[in-house]
Structures are given as C-alpha cells and as structure tokens.
Amino acid sequence: MTLPRYFLNIRRHGVLIRDEEGDDVPDAAAARVLALETLREMLRLPHVYGPPCEWKRNVFVITDEAGTVLEEVPYDVLL
C-alpha cells in the first residue's frame, strides 16, 4: 500500500517556500506530528537553524498532493 504524500511548505515573511519533496505519511494528522517533530529538532539545533526569535513567525503550510492546504502550524506553537 502506498502512503499519501504531504508537503510541509513554509511561509516566511509572507512568501511561500514550497516543499518540493514531501513526505509519505498515513494522514494529515501524521503530517502535523511531523511538523511538530521538525520544530522540536530545530529548537535543539539553533546553531543550524538560527535562534528561534529569527524564525518564530514562520508557518508550516501543510498541503496534500493536490496542493490543498490542510493546516497551518505556526513555528511559535512550541515557544
């Protein structure tokens, strides 16, 4: 069985940066979990992603394969 593909696009300063690869996960809820796990990893690695104050206004825009926006997850949801 093939899993659907979801995309964690990023809206930064009003500009949408598309996730060209996406991730195969079971459903939209799993895509949200992936977004939150990614944010936790970013918080642990400020030397890679920069200090959170510089990116906390960004938003993950989760879309499905058709490009439909399913959810928006603000980066500051964990701050």
Side-chain angles (χ1 to χ4, degrees), residues 12-50:
R12 180 182 296 145
H13 305 294
V15 175
L16 188 67
I17 302 165
R18 297 207 178 274
D19 172 2
E20 298 294 335
E21 295 179 24
D23 293 280
D24 297 330
V25 293
D27 53 32
R32 177 182 171 71
V33 168
L34 180 60
L36 294 172
E37 289 172 351
T38 301
L39 289 171
R40 284 185 192 97
E41 184 71 10
M42 291 171 65
L43 285 169
R44 283 192 296 271
L45 301 170
H47 61 284
V48 174
Y49 296 101

Side-chain angles (χ1 to χ4, degrees), residues 3-79:
L3 292 174
R5 186 164 291 238
Y6 293 89
F7 299 85
L8 301 181
N9 307 289
I10 300 168
R11 184 179 315 115
R12 180 182 296 145
H13 305 294
V15 175
L16 188 67
I17 302 165
R18 297 207 178 274
D19 172 2
E20 298 294 335
E21 295 179 24
D23 293 280
D24 297 330
V25 293
D27 53 32
R32 177 182 171 71
V33 168
L34 180 60
L36 294 172
E37 289 172 351
T38 301
L39 289 171
R40 284 185 192 97
E41 184 71 10
M42 291 171 65
L43 285 169
R44 283 192 296 271
L45 301 170
H47 61 284
V48 174
Y49 296 101
C53 64
E54 292 181 7
W55 47 262
K56 69 179 182 178
R57 290 192 178 119
N58 296 347
V59 176
F60 276 123
V61 180
I62 301 172
T63 59
D64 61 14
E65 292 178 278
T68 302
V69 175
L70 304 173
E71 184 173 3
E72 295 191 4
V73 179
Y75 280 28
D76 65 0
V77 71
L78 296 179
L79 300 178

